[in-house]
């Protein structure tokens, strides 16, 4: 059977990518990581990729701070198309992807966000949750659309906010939940169990 190929994009330490890669290597996730791309030359995600013998590549993002410039975006698209990926997994990719990227891969780009969306979109969502004073937060896996953290929700996991939490302890517990949720959602998509009807997404049992 043709392998279900993932392209993973990240800018940071790569703990989600490592969890997904390890699930693929152990056979728990029926997927193959075809490419790991980063906009940060020394990102941990590229080190995690090379440690596992995966193809990792830095693509210079261009002149903007929060998005890719046109040339860089075209190179990301080309690289993923050449690798023939079935699903693009954003794992801590900190530049906004809109227009041409989303158009090039319709319904094929997913993201993980460290809050229970639609609460706390944007940066440092765990800090936003602490400042607001919520008692429960978590993480969300969603399809990427033209907005910011606004696409249809595939899966969520809750994480309690403890009285003694700091930004670091809360983010660490959210990331622990992410490492379970993301492979679970990818498995559901790769095995054809996810059905999208507008904003409503249902997942058939395995
Ligand atoms: C994750 O916590 C992810 O939810 C967050 O970046 C972290 C990346 O960690 N993403 C966002 O905030 C996107 N808005 P990792 O590099 O260890 O996977």
């Amino acid at each position: 059977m043709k392998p279900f190929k993932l392209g993973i994009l990240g800018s940071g330490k790569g703990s989600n990518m490592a969890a997904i890669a390890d699930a693929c290597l152990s056979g728990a996730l029926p997927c193959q990581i075809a490419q790991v791309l980063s906009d940060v030359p020394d990102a941990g995600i590229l080190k995690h990729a090379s440690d596992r013998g995966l193809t990792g590549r830095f693509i210079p993002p261009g002149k903007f701070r929060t998005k890719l410039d046109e040339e860089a975006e075209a190179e990301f698209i080309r690289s993923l198309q050449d690798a023939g990926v079935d699903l693009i997994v954003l794992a801590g990719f900190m530049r906004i992807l809109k227009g041409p990227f989303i158009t090039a891969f319709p319904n094929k780009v997913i993201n993980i966000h460290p809050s229970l969306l639609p609460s706390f979109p944007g940066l440092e969502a765990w800090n936003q949750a602490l400042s607001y004073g919520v008692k429960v937060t978590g993480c969300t896996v969603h399809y990427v659309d033209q907005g910011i953290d606004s696409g249809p929700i595939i899966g969520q996991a809750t994480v309690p906010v403890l009285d003694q939490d700091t930004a670091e302890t809360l983010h660490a517990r959210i990331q622990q939940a992410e490492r379970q949720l993301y492979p679970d959602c990818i498995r559901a998509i790769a095995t054809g169990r996810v059905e999208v009807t507008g904003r409503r997404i249902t997942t058939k049992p395995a």
Side-chain angles (χ1 to χ4, degrees), residues 12-17 91-94 111-114 122 124 126 149 171 175 178:
K13 67 180 180 346
S15 67
N16 278 289
M17 195 290 285
F93 190 69
M94 300 315 279
N111 180 44
I112 191 154
H113 182 77
E124 300 196 347
W126 59 93
D149 301 324
H171 189 206
Q175 286 216 296
E178 290 183 338

Side-chain angles (χ1 to χ4, degrees), residues 9-19 44-45 48 90-95 111-115 120-126 138-140 142 148-149 171 174-176 178-179 182:
L9 271 60
S11 314
K13 67 180 180 346
S15 67
N16 278 289
M17 195 290 285
I45 192 169
H48 278 303
L90 306 185
F93 190 69
M94 300 315 279
R95 279 187 158 80
N111 180 44
I112 191 154
H113 182 77
S115 75
F120 314 129
L123 293 176
E124 300 196 347
W126 59 93
C139 48
T140 302
H142 63 93
I148 308 268
D149 301 324
H171 189 206
I174 293 172
Q175 286 216 296
Q176 207 177 332
E178 290 183 338
R179 292 194 284 270
Y182 221 179

Side-chain angles (χ1 to χ4, degrees), residues 108-192:
K108 278 191 179 176
V109 188
I110 63 173
N111 180 44
I112 191 154
H113 182 77
S115 75
L116 293 176
L117 291 170
S119 291
F120 314 129
L123 293 176
E124 300 196 347
W126 59 93
N127 261 329
Q128 297 186 51
L130 269 183
S131 307
Y132 195 92
V134 293
K135 301 300 180 195
V136 179
T137 184
C139 48
T140 302
V141 174
H142 63 93
Y143 280 104
V144 176
D145 66 7
Q146 300 285 348
I148 308 268
D149 301 324
S150 57
I153 292 172
I154 303 160
Q156 292 186 303
T158 58
V159 173
V161 181
L162 307 179
D163 288 348
Q164 65 274 21
D165 261 333
T166 61
E168 289 70 34
T169 59
L170 181 57
H171 189 206
R173 281 206 321 291
I174 293 172
Q175 286 216 296
Q176 207 177 332
E178 290 183 338
R179 292 194 284 270
Q180 176 74 47
L181 181 69
Y182 221 179
D184 284 351
C185 290
I186 295 168
R187 186 181 304 105
I189 294 170
T191 54

Side-chain angles (χ1 to χ4, degrees), residues 4-8 31-36 54-56 80 83-86:
F4 189 89
K5 288 189 187 176
L6 307 177
I8 304 189
C31 301
Q32 182 190 316
I33 298 179
Q35 254 191 358
V36 177
L54 299 168
T55 310
L80 292 159
V85 300
D86 298 293

